[in-house]
Amino acid sequence: MPTASVVNPVDPAPGRRGRIAVMLPVLSLLLLAAHFLRFGNPGLCLAAASLAALAVTRRAWVRVALATALAAGLPIWVGAWTDVLTLRMATGLPWLRMSLILAAVAGLNVVSLVWLLRGGGRGVFRRGQDEAWTGGAFVLTAVLLGATREAVRFPILLVDRFFPGWGWLEILALAIYAAWVGERMSDPGRSPAIRSRVWALFSLVFFLQLGLGLVGIGELLMTGALHLPVPAVIVAGPIYRGGGYFMPILFAVTLVLVGPAWCSHLCYIGAWDDAASRFRRWPGALPAWARHGRWLTLAAVAPAALLLRLLGVSTGAAAALGGAFGIAGVGIMATASRRLGLMAHCTAFCPIGALSNLLGKVAPFRLRIHADCSRCGACTRACRYGALEGPDIERGRPGFTCTLCGDCLASCRQRSIAYRFPGLPAEAARRLFLVLVVSLHAVFLGVARV
């Protein structure tokens, strides 16, 4: 009896026509690279050429990245065609041949873009089709970093500081990293481990840059006044200095986009508390009184910073007090968090954690527990923020200390916990949240320096 051939529906090989057609966007990007090189932008040239090389991976998110790059390239070609035509006609030089060449290049760009967006492109870029949405993380990261690079007066990207003009290579690398992280976090079962690792990586890069900057490599430090890497300084620093609102504004923007996820994905100190809490397999519980601790620190930090300013206390003395506050927080991690298996620093001491949970409610994302929940308690054992105690489960939503980390989704065998966003189904809401938080993580990795 003949046996049917087995075809892999996830990663079938493209036909010969598909392999030939993929050269259209590759050629279009190489032409863009040549254009950038001709106009003295080698960094952008190499970035465009490197992006073209990604086509060999045939990953679904790469199709999104290529299409976005070609869409951005179209006005570049139109502008070049207009400039050449205007200049040559004004100076009496021959213009027809050059005009036709640029029109043909722009036309190839359009054909390549259409092919990517229609069935032909989808048929070739099939790998990881279920994670094609991570192309959104690539695009958002590139757009945010590119806009920041153009808007800031000083070289905010490290590559630009050491190799002026080559920052687009760093932007490309961080955008690829964002898509890579998004792919690996797309599976709720793997997401908790990946989140902890990339969060730890962010903290490592942040403090490694700080350390190397302090020992003499000044390019690794952000231009401006140095401030302590203590979360409370986000509030206390501007009050004491009477200015310097970059970090409060950045913090507020993240609250609007992803709510309290600042505390589970983006805080450079929170990763330490996460690592400390995992010395114990299952989290314990904080005493009821301890949950009010961070409100007390918040009530103390802001007035104390104002008082130091009014009394004219020196910057050195103020920094010493801020450092002592930070050391106390580390001590809580090393003792209470490690012993309880719970992020005691973030949930009972950090004033920024309190603000994140309170003001983060402006973001539309929520976690909700379905009515079919069996009350098995698996999510309680997974939550390091103490946000899924019995009363929380009965109410059908996590408690106030929830940071939208999503670790509980992996623990729930019945899939009774899901992200919510107005107008979107649960899976789409989770994907949108991941695109935003992963992109912010990659952007912060590139620009967050003291």
Side-chain angles (χ1 to χ4, degrees):
M1 182 177 179
T3 58
S5 60
V6 178
V7 178
N8 183 355
V10 177
D11 185 26
R16 182 179 178 182
R17 292 178 60 184
R19 290 194 297 269
I20 295 174
V22 78
M23 296 306 298
L24 293 175
V26 170
L27 179 58
S28 295
L29 283 170
L30 291 179
L31 288 171
L32 269 175
H35 177 76
F36 295 138
L37 182 62
R38 182 173 181 269
F39 283 88
N41 197 331
L44 197 52
C45 165
L46 190 53
S50 301
L51 183 57
L54 285 177
V56 302
T57 67
R58 294 197 289 116
R59 301 206 67 81
W61 68 264
V62 172
R63 181 178 66 87
V64 179
L66 298 180
T68 303
L70 292 180
L74 187 57
I76 293 175
W77 290 124
V78 172
W81 178 80
T82 303
D83 292 342
V84 167
L85 185 62
T86 302
L87 177 62
R88 288 185 171 245
M89 292 183 70
T91 55
L93 293 174
W95 56 268
L96 181 59
R97 184 175 66 173
M98 184 59 68
S99 178
L100 291 175
I101 291 173
L102 288 174
V105 172
L108 176 63
N109 194 103
V110 171
V111 170
S112 302
L113 178 59
V114 171
W115 179 82
L116 283 169
L117 296 177
R118 294 176 65 86
R122 292 192 181 96
V124 173
F125 293 91
R126 304 186 190 188
R127 291 179 178 172
Q129 191 64 51
D130 290 341
E131 290 81 41
W133 56 270
T134 59
F138 176 98
V139 173
L140 184 57
T141 300
V143 168
L144 290 176
L145 286 172
T148 302
R149 182 175 184 265
E150 295 301 317
V152 177
R153 296 179 181 177
F154 58 89
I156 195 169
L157 298 176
L158 285 181
V159 171
D160 277 327
R161 294 187 173 204
F162 290 98
F163 306 99
W166 292 81
W168 276 102
L169 281 178
E170 182 178 351
I171 292 175
L172 176 63
L174 287 169
I176 294 172
Y177 169 75
W180 179 83
V181 172
E183 277 195 322
R184 275 142 189 80
M185 291 187 69
S186 62
D187 179 3
R190 298 172 58 190
S191 182
I194 298 299
R195 181 185 67 85
S196 289
R197 290 169 188 166
V198 300
W199 193 16
L201 172 67
F202 169 70
S203 181
L204 174 64
V205 170
F206 180 90
F207 283 100
L208 182 62
Q209 288 183 359
L210 173 61
L212 293 176
L214 291 177
V215 299
I217 309 177
E219 292 85 354
L220 295 176
L221 297 176
M222 184 75 79
T223 298
L226 185 68
H227 68 83
L228 288 172
V230 177
V233 174
I234 295 175
V235 170
I239 295 176
Y240 170 74
R241 294 191 299 264
Y245 299 104
F246 173 76
M247 282 302 297
I249 292 173
L250 186 64
F251 177 62
V253 170
T254 62
L255 293 183
V256 171
L257 293 177
V258 293
W262 165 280
C263 293
S264 55
H265 291 82
L266 306 171
C267 176
Y268 39 81
I269 289 291
W272 297 16
D273 204 20
D274 178 70
S277 71
R278 295 184 187 279
F279 274 89
R280 179 171 169 174
R281 184 176 182 183
W282 306 120
L286 281 172
W289 58 267
R291 294 184 179 271
H292 303 293
R294 56 186 184 165
W295 296 109
L296 295 176
T297 59
L298 178 61
V301 162
L306 180 60
L307 183 62
L308 292 176
R309 178 185 175 187
L310 294 176
L311 293 177
V313 175
S314 68
T315 301
L321 290 173
F325 186 89
I327 291 172
V330 174
I332 290 174
M333 297 178 198
T335 55
S337 297
R338 193 171 185 271
R339 178 172 55 84
L340 294 173
L342 193 75
M343 297 176 67
H345 169 270
C346 295
T347 57
F349 180 76
C350 179
I352 297 302
L355 285 178
S356 178
N357 286 126
L358 177 64
L359 302 180
K361 302 301 181 185
V362 301
F365 291 102
R366 298 288 186 272
L367 278 173
R368 290 293 182 259
I369 304 170
H370 298 164
D372 61 358
C373 171
S374 65
R375 313 298 194 267
C376 68
C379 59
T380 303
R381 295 189 294 272
C383 183
R384 300 285 172 173
Y385 292 91
L388 285 167
E389 302 298 328
D392 305 316
I393 297 174
E394 290 296 330
R395 285 194 299 268
R397 61 181 184 274
F400 182 75
T401 55
C402 175
T403 65
L404 300 177
C405 72
D407 289 2
C408 52
L409 272 68
S411 68
C412 184
R413 296 182 179 180
Q414 295 177 306
R415 298 187 177 182
S416 297
I417 308 177
Y419 282 89
R420 288 287 179 264
F421 186 93
L424 292 181
E427 184 57 27
R430 180 174 182 268
R431 290 178 175 181
L432 176 59
F433 174 80
L434 286 178
V435 164
L436 291 173
V437 79
V438 166
S439 299
L440 289 173
H441 163 78
V443 170
F444 282 19
L445 193 62
V447 304
R449 295 187 296 281
V450 176

